[in-house]
Amino acid sequence: MEMLRDADIDPAPLVGKRVAILGYGNQGRAQALNLKDSGIDVVVGLRGGSGSAFEAEAAGLTTDLIEEAVRSADVVMMLAPDEIHAALYGEIEPFLREGAALGFSHGLSIRFGFVKPRGDLDVFMLAPKGPGTALRSLYQQGKGMIGLWAVEQDSTGNARAIALAYGRAIGCSRAGLIASTFAEEAEADLFNEQAVVWGGVPELLIAGFDTLVAGGVSPEVAYLECIGELHLIAELIEARGIAGMKEAISNTAELGALLGGKRIIDADVRRRMAEVLAEVRAGRFAEELREEERSSYPRLEQARSEARETLLNQTFRKLDDTRRD
Ligand SMILES: NC(=O)c1ccc[n+]([C@@H]2O[C@H](COP(=O)([O-])OP(=O)(O)OC[C@H]3O[C@@H](n4cnc5c(N)ncnc54)[C@H](OP(=O)(O)O)[C@@H]3O)[C@@H](O)[C@H]2O)c1
């Protein structure tokens, strides 16, 4: 594996070029501000009447309507939600300059065919491995967030150089840039979201909380045990790896983890994980995402409102209020 850092990357391919950032959400805001602070000419492209225009301009950024931003740019980054990329690309294609570069921060739209870019474009991915808020705060601290890069289409012969210069300008190569592909990044990311960090872990925490409460433990103690300790293990794994984390905890906790961990995450769980990966690769989730958008997000809305009403969330709010007092 090749890990590229600032010193390995020529910033020149973006010098004198204009970058249009489409969308001023989690990633759009962070990437636009990091680019500006790296001396790049940036314009944020927004739909008419967007509530984000005032905020972007207050942060010192130039904004324009999507069509005008695209027309003026050498590099266009698709930083609106993935599920609207097909419609957004259809809207901007007539305004993309001949030989422009089209960038993504997630491989999904290309891997699953939401976007089929025109043949004259360079198409690259620069996917920071974390949320935009952290991408921005790390940059401001003089640090960076590790990122994956890929080239899907190299019409001008400059796609690799542009992708890497872009990764440097948003601060990722301060930490490191790793070569990947749109397919690898999209499949691994969707798998993780469903089966591991964002899907599996919260359900494990909820199941643990519910089990303790059903066993007569108070919600507050159940919350502190099952959920309140999560940041401790995350910090230990970040600093020392999984083996180092186990050495850092008490013998009691280590033996408990040894005896209990594989009972919970057993062969059946691994089999279902493999099923999730196969379904992701078959494009089933990508279709679910588009359907959810087409029907105005009913499952997401319902799940959000149900989660707000749970005993677990009430306990979180109670403990959070106490902490603030
Ligand atoms: N979230 C993350 O931390 C993260 C991490 C790595 C990669 N990514 C990738 O980065 C990309 C952007 O994700 P995100 O989470 O940053 O998105 P997001 O926060 O949901 O994006 C919101 C922005 O998109 C604009 N937008 C929404 N619908 C639009 C439409 N129909 N037409 C034009 N603009 C529209 C919104 O415009 P208004 O301002 O007008 O509402 C807003 O500025 C995705 O490909 C995602 O997979 C995200």
Side-chain angles (χ1 to χ4, degrees):
M1 183 208 70
E2 188 189 28
M3 171 82 89
L4 298 172
R5 294 188 195 274
D6 278 2
D8 307 311
I9 297 171
D10 181 3
L14 282 187
V15 173
K17 300 274 166 60
R18 175 168 250 220
V19 178
I21 298 289
L22 304 188
Y24 195 70
N26 200 319
Q27 283 294 321
R29 175 181 177 280
Q31 294 190 25
L33 291 172
N34 290 4
L35 288 166
K36 178 173 86 69
D37 290 350
S38 293
I40 308 293
D41 178 17
V42 193
V43 58
V44 177
L46 295 167
R47 50 191 168 176
S50 167
S52 303
F54 178 77
E55 198 200 324
E57 281 164 21
L61 291 158
T62 303
T63 68
D64 210 335
L65 289 174
I66 289 174
E67 172 186 327
E68 296 306 326
V70 169
R71 212 195 279 273
S72 72
D74 305 286
V75 178
V76 174
M77 280 303 284
M78 298 279 280
L79 295 181
D82 298 297
E83 64 273 18
I84 64 117
H85 281 187
L88 181 60
Y89 180 75
E91 201 183 304
I92 66 169
E93 195 188 63
F95 308 107
L96 282 161
R97 288 181 179 177
E98 175 89 17
L102 184 67
F104 296 81
S105 282
H106 187 13
L108 186 149
S109 291
I110 294 291
R111 163 65 178 85
F112 295 105
F114 290 12
V115 174
K116 295 191 171 56
R118 227 171 50 200
D120 60 285
L121 303 171
D122 287 341
V123 179
F124 73 94
M125 178 183 76
L126 199 303
K129 284 292 104 183
T133 41
L135 179 73
R136 179 61 182 155
S137 62
L138 285 167
Y139 182 96
Q140 288 176 304
Q141 293 161 38
K143 300 182 196 159
M145 173 181 282
I146 209 159
L148 303 182
W149 71 276
V151 167
E152 179 74 10
Q153 198 167 285
D154 186 11
S155 307
T156 67
N158 294 326
R160 179 183 194 275
I162 291 170
L164 295 180
Y166 188 90
R168 190 181 199 274
I170 63 170
C172 286
S173 52
R174 292 173 179 176
L177 285 180
I178 300 173
S180 183
T181 62
F182 278 71
E184 182 183 63
E185 192 277 341
E187 291 166 9
D189 199 64
L190 296 180
F191 169 77
N192 170 45
E193 283 163 1
Q194 290 174 48
V196 191
V197 173
W198 305 98
V201 170
E203 286 305 324
L204 187 68
L205 303 181
I206 293 165
F209 174 85
D210 289 346
T211 303
L212 282 182
V213 172
V217 174
S218 77
E220 289 77 11
V221 171
Y223 192 96
L224 291 170
E225 284 297 343
C226 294
I227 300 165
E229 294 191 358
L230 185 66
H231 72 286
L232 302 176
I233 191 172
E235 283 163 12
L236 279 171
I237 292 174
E238 172 86 7
R240 298 163 175 249
I242 288 187
M245 173 275 288
K246 289 193 171 168
E247 285 167 24
I249 60 182
S250 69
N251 287 345
T252 314
E254 193 179 358
L255 183 63
L258 181 66
L259 299 181
K262 286 194 166 58
R263 251 182 102 182
I264 301 299
I265 307 299
D266 61 7
D268 240 24
V269 172
R270 287 173 180 260
R271 184 184 48 73
R272 289 200 298 279
M273 282 185 164
E275 281 171 14
V276 168
L277 181 59
E279 286 172 17
V280 162
R281 286 184 165 152
R284 210 171 300 164
F285 176 76
E287 198 34 59
E288 295 270 3
L289 182 64
R290 291 190 73 171
E291 180 49 39
E292 188 68 9
E293 189 270 333
R294 274 187 219 115
S295 48
S296 305
Y297 306 97
R299 284 177 295 183
L300 289 183
E301 296 291 352
Q302 188 181 346
R304 285 170 192 156
S305 77
E306 281 174 7
R308 281 193 290 267
E309 300 312 318
T310 56
L311 174 63
L312 189 152
N313 199 47
Q314 288 161 16
T315 311
F316 159 73
R317 285 208 302 265
K318 206 194 263 182
L319 290 169
D320 197 43
D321 285 348
T322 316
R323 212 174 38 208
R324 285 169 206 277
D325 286 343

